[in-house]
Amino acid sequence: MSQDMSDDKLPQAHGAGEGHGEVAAADNPFADPGLPPHEPRRTDIDERAAKRAERQVSLLFIVSMLATVGFIASYVAIDPAKIVYIFPLGHISALNFALGMTLGVALFCIGAGAVHWARTLMSDVELPAERHPIEADDEVRADVIQQFKTGAGESGFGRRKMIRNTLIGSMALVPLSGVVLLRDLGPLPGTSLDTTAWKEATPTTPIRLINVNTNLPMKAEDIAVGSLTFAKPGPSALRPDGLQESDEDFQQVIAKSALMLIRIQPSDIKDAKSAALGFEGVLAYSKICTHVGCPISLYEQQTHHALCPCHQSTFDLSDGARVIFGPAGHPLPQLKITTDASGYLIATQDFDLPVGPSFWERNA
Amino acid sequence: MSSSASAKTAAPASTRAKPANKAEAAADYLDGRLGIYSLAKSNLRKIFPDHWSFMLGEICLYTFIIIILTGVYLTLFFKPSMGEVVYNGSYAPLNGIRMSEAYASTLNISFEVRGGLLIRQIHHWAAIVFVAAMFVHMMRVFFTGAFRKPREINWIFGFLLLFLGFFDGFLGYSLPDDLLSGTGIRFMEGAILAVPLVGTYISFFLFGGEFPGTDIVPRFFTIHVLLIPGVMLGLLVAHLILVFYHKHTQWAGPGRTEKNVVGMPLMPVYMAKAGGFFFLVFGIIAAMSAIASVNPVWAYGPYRPDQVSTDAQPDWYMGFAEGLIRVMPGWEIRAWGHTLNLGVFIPLMLFPLVLVLIAVYPFIESWITGDKREHHILDRPRNAPVRTALGAAWISLYLVLLSGGGNDLIATHFHLSLNDITYFVRAGSFIVPVITYFVTKRWCLGLQRRDKEKVLHGRETGVIKRLPHGEFIEVHAQLPQDKLHTLTSHEQYEPVELPAEVDENGVARKVGLLTKTRAKLSEGYFGEHGQITKPTAEEHHEITSGHGHH
């Protein structure tokens, strides 16, 4: 479409092509007067000033040498554990401070010396250099295209279409090998994102809720109204000791199975289904935010709101953990809990929804 | 007999003059093998123009070198492994705590390796300065139009370096396996899971199974220290070769044209200045690292997926992505047994899209101007009001989203409602860039008017003169010719006009949508409201000749 618009709208480059140093014609006050004459610096004309600059440059290099010696001395002499108070930085590592400052001074003074030298003693006469167009001239262009055509003609690439097409086909397919090789980076997801460690819990083989801090099972009366407690899965058939930090897969299991327990006056619970999943006002929600998976840890007692510190998704725990603010797209999954014969809190089934952030295969 | 013997032993005499000293002899030796004289011929006294803003790119180069130097040191001590250990070292508060070897070795570098903490801090500070310098360098190139032909490809290289710099920074941040970095990776997992169709597969292949798995640190380590820096090094070399090949741009001024470059030679002035500047940058970063601690991982503790600290934030350059994810409403579409998590997926797509728009800008502008000429003289930002306003609008969007990414900090520090900040950012992302655009454009036009005023009427001298009939006037002094030239040497495009509705044969011409769009955009850039017409020599002559009054 550019062909049907003319180029005459392009401006005339001002001063392009005019040689430097030309004095402008009297009828154009905007013409390029050319490079101004060089104005000497003090150091160019005053030998004493030049000598002083020379001493300043050398002094900077000498300071650098001393700082490097100081760096080595600090490395040898200062105990890595030593903490000192330096105003206004506060208590900091003496070794880190000494090494960093000496290294900083050693490097900075080399730089400052070199720049000062360049600015005061090296020539500051500005010189012009000509530019040459990046584009080749027409003759070179025609020559290269001719050479290419000769080469292409000799290869027969354009003539032997079958070779050309099969080559393109093979080149297009061969990178697939690289993609296929990536397959064993990990197992297929399957349905593993739909379930958590609580999936082993059944009415006949329930799993106890274990307090993360005390490592002990909990009773409903241990949880005060308005408090927030964190829990993990207790002993099960697969894991007779319950989930322990020393377990090889601890991180993966806790990443989905972490629980957040709160207790609300039963009359304050707005969602009947949520109340039924709880036990006497004790509600067990997934601790993992449904936005991108941060653990939720900020709880406001008065309003029963839980807030994720990463992106501020806010859930109303008294109303089925509905999202009331922020970027999360759906409520926190809830775990059905009850008590066993000894009065300990137990789970008898997995969460009612997949835990954590949404994913394409999520069907809920 | 004798003649053949002498032919065997006598080497043909070299035509080259005898070297005057050992240095010349050494140079001759190298020239015979590497051809250094031909290489140095045009480069030793290569001319570089001088302006403070040209050093921004140098800062990028030097911080990159510092990052590589310190990074190599860190790899000597860092153990990229998620094998579990119980910490028993000199940082007492974490003694007896279970953690990955990656985290334990980071603590070891910080507390037991002498100078290790310093190098870690220099590495991290240099990375922060590197990305910041790339940003500012890119702005310099954008606002001065230095990206125009022949430098569009170099603009792309620079853009790729910025993009890769982002990701390598993010990966590096993730390696110590502390609570904050683990939370960042979990965020990444959530974002990947939001990708339709393949999200769960990518996540499982990346983590080697379910999050967090045990593969992530060794995998990220290889990508962080080998793959991305390797690509970046290649791009950087290409970037610099092109800078050398194109020669540097320069500001308009007396004696400076599109066909020359005016400045001082590489040897000795630029060798001393640029070489010295490397040491200045390194020295300042070393001092910063001694004084200000960045990423004190020991304060966060090892990563556990069920724990998090408040004020969890990425490095500032990812703050823009963090803002997008924080202020996006939680839209989810559930249908046919699938979930599309738009609340995460849209920000995930917007992030690269906004960056790609910047990458293709040179091509958009050259399409609008239809200008196929080379440009080596820089534009003053005021002389390209639309471009400058677009750049400013982009920066304002960045800042709005950054404040969204730090909404919790803003809320606690300024005692504001977190929810209100989020609502402001949601609306502000659309409104603030528009306001910024118009304010900046008007500002540029105002500055253009002031330049025109100065050219035609001279500068104010501050001298008040009373005329015989009682009138007071302020005396204006004519600008010298070099100033007049500098202020009037910029180019002004005229808007592209649509071709006539009928062609020369009287047949109705079909005008495509693209052509119409281009004419519209061109009108916006260079039309009546896009620029102030430059003063002409005639206008200047008329005013200064004394015939007319002003």
Side-chain angles (χ1 to χ4, degrees):
Chain A
M1 65 271 125
S2 59
Q3 294 92 315
D4 49 25
M5 292 194 200
S6 64
D7 284 345
D8 58 4
K9 300 294 179 193
L10 293 182
Q12 289 297 315
H14 210 289
E18 292 171 21
H20 57 88
E22 281 173 29
V23 179
D27 56 332
N28 186 4
F30 301 161
D32 183 357
L35 276 179
H38 174 244
E39 286 182 26
R41 295 161 298 185
R42 177 116 189 247
T43 44
D44 291 333
I45 45 180
D46 181 354
E47 186 51 32
R48 281 177 58 207
K51 281 274 179 219
R52 192 181 319 123
E54 190 182 351
R55 284 194 301 272
Q56 286 163 344
V57 172
S58 287
L59 179 69
L60 284 165
F61 292 152
I62 290 168
V63 171
S64 169
M65 289 191 253
L66 293 175
T68 300
V69 173
F71 179 91
I72 295 167
S74 309
Y75 187 92
V76 176
I78 300 177
D79 178 3
K82 192 175 165 69
I83 303 290
V84 289
Y85 179 82
I86 296 173
F87 180 82
L89 308 174
H91 293 275
I92 54 172
S93 155
L95 181 63
N96 187 60
F97 182 76
L99 290 179
M101 289 313 285
T102 48
L103 181 64
V105 169
L107 294 165
F108 187 91
C109 286
I110 294 178
V115 171
H116 193 54
W117 180 10
R119 290 177 62 95
T120 54
L121 295 170
M122 292 180 186
S123 163
D124 72 335
V125 180
E126 286 197 313
L127 305 167
E130 271 184 51
R131 289 183 195 274
H132 303 286
I134 307 290
E135 286 167 354
D137 59 38
D138 289 345
E139 200 181 320
V140 172
R141 181 177 178 277
D143 184 35
V144 170
I145 289 178
Q146 189 48 50
Q147 287 187 30
F148 181 82
K149 280 187 177 152
T150 309
E154 284 172 8
S155 77
F157 191 75
R159 209 152 30 87
R160 304 195 187 278
K161 293 238 160 49
M162 190 162 74
I163 291 184
R164 187 193 66 185
N165 294 346
T166 47
L167 173 65
I168 292 172
S170 58
M171 293 294 282
L173 284 183
V174 80
L176 281 179
S177 321
V179 178
V180 168
L181 278 176
L182 295 177
R183 164 62 188 86
D184 275 351
L185 277 173
L188 294 182
T191 57
S192 48
L193 288 180
D194 294 327
T195 57
T196 71
W198 299 101
K199 67 172 185 281
E200 282 180 68
T202 64
T204 49
T205 57
I207 298 182
R208 280 183 179 168
L209 276 56
I210 303 293
N211 186 319
V212 167
N213 297 321
T214 61
N215 241 340
L216 295 170
M218 287 179 289
K219 292 186 172 176
E221 53 266 37
D222 297 340
I223 302 169
V225 171
S227 71
L228 181 72
T229 313
F230 300 123
K232 61 180 183 176
S236 65
L238 258 178
R239 218 181 282 273
D241 297 329
L243 180 63
Q244 299 295 333
E245 242 192 285
S246 50
D247 291 351
E248 205 185 322
D249 57 352
F250 173 79
Q251 298 276 60
Q252 261 131 285
V253 174
I254 201 73
K256 283 197 307 188
S257 307
L259 266 194
M260 178 164 70
L261 289 174
I262 50 147
R263 186 165 197 169
I264 304 178
Q265 289 294 356
S267 58
D268 289 346
I269 300 178
K270 296 173 202 151
D271 186 291
K273 190 181 150 225
S274 170
L277 290 174
F279 177 79
E280 290 175 1
V282 179
L283 307 177
Y285 287 109
S286 163
K287 198 187 174 187
I288 308 304
C289 183
T290 57
H291 178 222
V292 284
C294 281
I296 295 163
S297 50
L298 301 176
Y299 175 61
E300 197 178 47
Q301 207 177 38
Q302 303 294 322
T303 58
H304 308 301
H305 292 170
L307 180 117
C308 172
C310 295
H311 307 110
Q312 291 90 38
S313 293
T314 311
F315 303 88
D316 185 351
L317 300 187
S318 67
D319 190 13
R322 193 168 56 86
V323 185
I324 54 169
F325 182 76
H330 61 270
L332 294 173
Q334 193 175 351
L335 187 70
K336 181 176 166 54
I337 53 168
T338 180
T339 50
D340 59 15
S342 338
Y344 290 114
L345 291 169
I346 51 165
T348 54
Q349 61 185 63
D350 204 348
F351 285 97
D352 57 342
L353 297 169
V355 162
S358 316
F359 47 95
W360 178 247
E361 293 85 354
R362 183 173 174 271
N363 184 15
Chain B
M1 211 34 203
S2 65
S3 66
S4 70
S6 69
K8 268 179 198 164
T9 51
S14 169
T15 52
R16 183 170 268 177
K18 265 213 171 322
N21 52 40
K22 288 210 167 126
E24 272 186 28
D28 284 350
Y29 177 89
L30 286 178
D31 184 53
R33 279 123 194 115
L34 304 170
I36 57 165
Y37 289 145
S38 310
L39 273 179
K41 194 180 127 203
S42 51
N43 293 329
L44 214 49
R45 294 282 285 177
K46 190 179 172 66
I47 296 294
F48 284 90
D50 208 358
H51 189 261
W52 66 266
S53 66
F54 299 164
M55 77 180 181
L56 294 168
E58 286 184 57
I59 300 180
C60 304
L61 174 66
Y62 301 150
T63 44
F64 186 75
I65 294 170
I66 295 168
I67 292 169
I68 290 187
L69 289 176
T70 49
V72 169
Y73 177 91
L74 291 174
T75 58
L76 302 178
F77 298 97
F78 180 69
K79 294 189 181 68
S81 151
M82 289 178 93
E84 282 198 19
V85 290
V86 174
Y87 181 69
N88 187 15
S90 56
Y91 187 64
L94 288 174
N95 267 335
I97 304 271
R98 218 165 247 290
M99 59 183 63
S100 64
E101 280 190 274
Y103 186 66
S105 67
T106 309
L107 294 178
N108 183 43
I109 289 170
S110 303
F111 295 112
E112 264 129 278
V113 175
R114 280 177 289 176
L117 178 60
L118 179 70
I119 300 298
R120 235 199 85 220
Q121 298 278 309
I122 293 177
H123 191 70
H124 202 130
W125 268 122
I128 289 171
V129 175
F130 176 53
V131 180
M134 282 199 287
F135 250 113
V136 185
H137 172 58
M138 198 171 184
M139 281 183 213
R140 198 280 291 174
V141 170
F142 182 85
F143 285 119
T144 59
F147 55 78
R148 290 173 297 172
K149 189 185 172 187
R151 298 183 176 79
E152 303 100 319
I153 292 167
N154 223 13
W155 170 263
I156 297 283
F157 286 168
F159 163 79
L160 291 174
L161 281 164
L162 179 71
F163 204 73
L164 291 172
F166 277 160
F167 282 101
D168 218 34
F170 179 74
L171 293 174
Y173 182 84
S174 304
L175 289 181
D177 201 28
D178 57 282
L179 190 57
L180 202 51
S181 82
T183 306
I185 303 177
R186 179 136 215 189
F187 160 50
M188 194 174 85
E189 187 222 4
I192 291 171
L193 285 179
V195 176
L197 286 170
V198 293
T200 40
Y201 291 85
I202 298 176
S203 171
F204 271 64
F205 291 168
L206 181 67
F207 292 100
E210 279 190 61
F211 177 86
T214 52
D215 292 336
I216 196 70
V217 166
R219 283 182 185 177
F220 277 20
F221 180 74
T222 306
I223 301 171
H224 174 74
V225 306
L226 183 67
L227 181 62
I228 295 185
V231 176
M232 286 180 81
L233 199 61
L235 280 169
L236 186 79
V237 169
H239 195 74
L240 291 180
I241 287 176
L242 278 181
V243 170
F244 239 72
Y245 183 60
H246 290 146
K247 297 197 171 86
H248 210 286
T249 52
Q250 61 187 352
W251 290 102
R256 286 153 169 81
T257 70
E258 289 284 9
K259 299 211 167 132
N260 71 9
V261 50
V262 177
M264 283 179 267
L266 175 67
M267 174 156 175
V269 179
Y270 269 83
M271 276 183 180
K273 275 195 176 177
F277 193 52
F278 167 74
F279 288 97
L280 290 182
V281 171
F282 204 164
I284 289 170
I285 289 180
M288 273 159 71
S289 307
I291 292 166
S293 99
V294 57
N295 204 18
V297 290
W298 54 88
Y300 308 142
Y303 181 57
R304 256 186 63 168
D306 63 334
Q307 291 176 353
V308 70
S309 58
T310 53
D311 179 19
Q313 255 146 346
D315 272 332
W316 66 271
Y317 44 87
M318 280 285 169
F320 143 54
E322 179 81 356
L324 277 169
I325 202 96
R326 284 188 186 193
V327 303
M328 182 71 197
W331 296 340
E332 266 186 25
I333 297 175
R334 260 157 282 167
W336 300 294
H338 291 290
T339 302
L340 182 58
N341 186 357
L342 291 175
V344 179
F345 188 60
I346 290 178
L348 185 70
M349 291 291 97
L350 276 177
F351 176 66
L353 189 72
V354 174
L355 291 170
V356 165
L357 275 179
I358 302 172
V360 298
Y361 182 80
F363 303 98
I364 296 174
E365 194 184 291
S366 77
W367 175 63
I368 293 170
T369 57
D371 190 346
K372 309 259 190 307
R373 302 167 304 170
E374 284 186 15
H375 290 276
H376 302 289
I377 299 272
L378 297 171
D379 281 335
R380 292 172 88 197
R382 67 183 62 175
N383 288 332
V386 174
R387 181 205 292 148
T388 304
L390 284 173
W394 190 91
I395 293 171
S396 73
L397 174 66
Y398 180 87
L399 292 176
V400 167
L401 289 172
L402 187 67
S403 57
N407 56 359
D408 47 349
L409 280 182
I410 296 175
T412 52
H413 281 68
F414 297 101
H415 305 287
L416 294 169
S417 152
L418 183 122
N419 303 27
D420 289 347
I421 299 166
T422 301
Y423 294 134
F424 168 80
V425 172
R426 279 180 188 169
S429 310
F430 296 94
I431 299 167
V432 173
V434 176
I435 296 175
T436 310
Y437 175 85
F438 285 108
V439 169
T440 311
K441 195 172 142 190
R442 293 302 292 260
W443 193 347
C444 289
L445 292 176
L447 288 169
Q448 280 194 24
R449 281 203 189 87
R450 201 180 72 153
D451 282 351
K452 186 172 184 172
E453 168 78 20
K454 254 205 224 159
V455 165
L456 292 178
H457 300 280
R459 72 179 169 83
E460 295 167 356
T461 55
V463 176
I464 306 291
K465 195 157 107 183
R466 191 176 185 190
L467 298 180
H469 59 275
E471 186 192 347
F472 288 97
I473 57 161
E474 185 186 2
V475 178
H476 283 229
Q478 271 298 314
L479 297 182
Q481 194 180 351
D482 58 336
K483 288 263 162 46
L484 287 177
H485 170 72
T486 308
L487 287 179
T488 55
S489 59
H490 58 282
E491 299 193 351
Q492 288 200 308
Y493 292 87
E494 280 176 58
V496 178
E497 275 164 35
L498 283 176
E501 296 207 356
V502 289
D503 65 14
E504 54 274 18
N505 299 323
V507 181
R509 197 196 295 263
K510 225 170 125 83
V511 180
L513 189 64
L514 266 177
T515 312
K516 284 182 187 160
T517 314
R518 184 179 159 209
K520 272 259 161 55
L521 287 171
S522 177
E523 175 66 27
Y525 266 76
F526 310 112
E528 209 183 331
H529 303 291
Q531 58 188 357
I532 304 295
T533 329
K534 269 200 312 193
T536 61
E538 291 77 48
E539 279 178 283
H540 183 265
H541 187 68
E542 196 176 311
I543 287 170
T544 51
S545 64
H547 298 307
H549 277 291
H550 62 281

